[in-house]
Amino acid sequence: MRNYLTAECYKVFRRKDPYLTLLVVLALEGVLLWGCWLTSSWGNEGMSFYSAATLVATMLSIGAYAPLLTCDMVFSEQYKQNTLKNEVAYGLPRARIYLGKLAVSTLVSLLAAAVMVALYVAGCWVLLPHGEQDAAAFALIGYGLAGAFPLWLGAQGVTMACYFLVRNTTLAAFVGVGLLGVVPGIFQALGLLFNPVFEKVRQLMPTVMLEKLPNMAFQTDYLVLCWLMGLALLVVSTIVGLAVFQKKEIR
């Protein structure tokens, strides 16, 4: 497994896609920081390190869709190029292939997230005025990351299952978006039209929980719920994805 992980890391980190994607996101962060600094320089006292840095908590929900990019970087059209078929034919255990790619895509996601959050917060610290609420900003960011981390893992598991089980990469991405972003809306409508139980189920979906996270700040029970639901989704999606992949014919 160690050799497989090393090989997968070598393949993804020598490609340009991860770095170009990260560069684009960092450029967008730079635009946001520039806007915050400009607002502050114009005399808006409401724009401070606290107000800008705590935007991190509200942007954590975007991380649920990041696996659509990182899983694609690792999976990299393997059905189309027959590389997955070659790995199976070479005799590599399917469990090793599945879990290895899931682990590497998760690693790429977490490294990118760490760089993006660190550079944004550092930019806020350097460019914007400080106050008594600085410590509160770090506390809110820490709470948000602690709750978002397991939910991101759950989304990663769901997305990787889509890429393994759907032959067309573009279609796999659409299925992932549907499961993560569209299904909650469907459950919301079902809850309004038929039974409130659908709304209760919707509240436990990762994208919905991530959106609620800033408003549930410092509530330990909600943090525990995030971990329970995120890890449960990761485990269930991995078991289902791996079980189906084990029996899937690779053409």
Side-chain angles (χ1 to χ4, degrees), residues 50 54 135-144 212-223:
Y50 174 84
T54 52
F138 284 111
L140 182 59
I141 293 171
Y143 175 86
K212 289 177 58 180
L213 196 55
N215 299 324
M216 308 296 287
F218 310 118
Q219 296 189 26
T220 305
D221 56 344
Y222 193 75
L223 192 63

Side-chain angles (χ1 to χ4, degrees), residues 57-58 60-62 64-65 147 151 155 179-188 198-216 222 225-226 229 233:
T58 63
L60 292 175
S61 58
I62 301 174
Y65 301 99
L151 297 172
L179 291 175
L180 296 171
V182 178
V183 170
I186 295 174
F187 272 78
Q188 184 178 33
F198 289 105
E199 176 60 24
K200 293 181 179 179
V201 173
R202 187 185 82 91
Q203 293 297 324
L204 299 176
M205 293 183 172
T207 48
V208 178
M209 295 188 73
L210 282 167
E211 290 172 359
K212 289 177 58 180
L213 196 55
N215 299 324
M216 308 296 287
Y222 193 75
L225 183 62
C226 288
M229 296 311 302
L233 186 59

Side-chain angles (χ1 to χ4, degrees), residues 58-177:
T58 63
M59 293 187 290
L60 292 175
S61 58
I62 301 174
Y65 301 99
L68 296 168
L69 297 175
T70 56
C71 287
D72 181 67
M73 293 173 189
V74 173
F75 202 81
S76 188
E77 295 281 5
Q78 294 220 311
Y79 280 116
K80 184 177 180 180
Q81 299 178 8
N82 287 326
T83 50
L84 189 62
K85 180 179 180 180
N86 293 339
E87 289 184 15
V88 174
Y90 186 73
L92 292 175
R94 295 197 182 201
R96 183 187 302 174
I97 296 172
Y98 190 101
L99 297 177
K101 293 186 189 303
L102 175 60
V104 173
S105 66
T106 302
L107 175 63
V108 174
S109 294
L110 294 180
L111 288 176
V115 171
M116 289 185 286
V117 172
L119 289 183
Y120 177 77
V121 174
C124 291
W125 182 266
V126 171
L127 296 175
L128 299 171
H130 299 271
E132 297 179 353
Q133 293 181 303
D134 287 1
F138 284 111
L140 182 59
I141 293 171
Y143 175 86
L145 291 173
F149 176 69
L151 297 172
W152 287 345
L153 292 181
Q156 194 83 32
V158 170
T159 306
M160 183 55 75
C162 293
Y163 275 93
F164 264 96
L165 304 184
V166 180
R167 288 186 58 85
N168 185 282
T169 302
T170 303
L171 181 58
F174 275 107
V175 173
V177 171

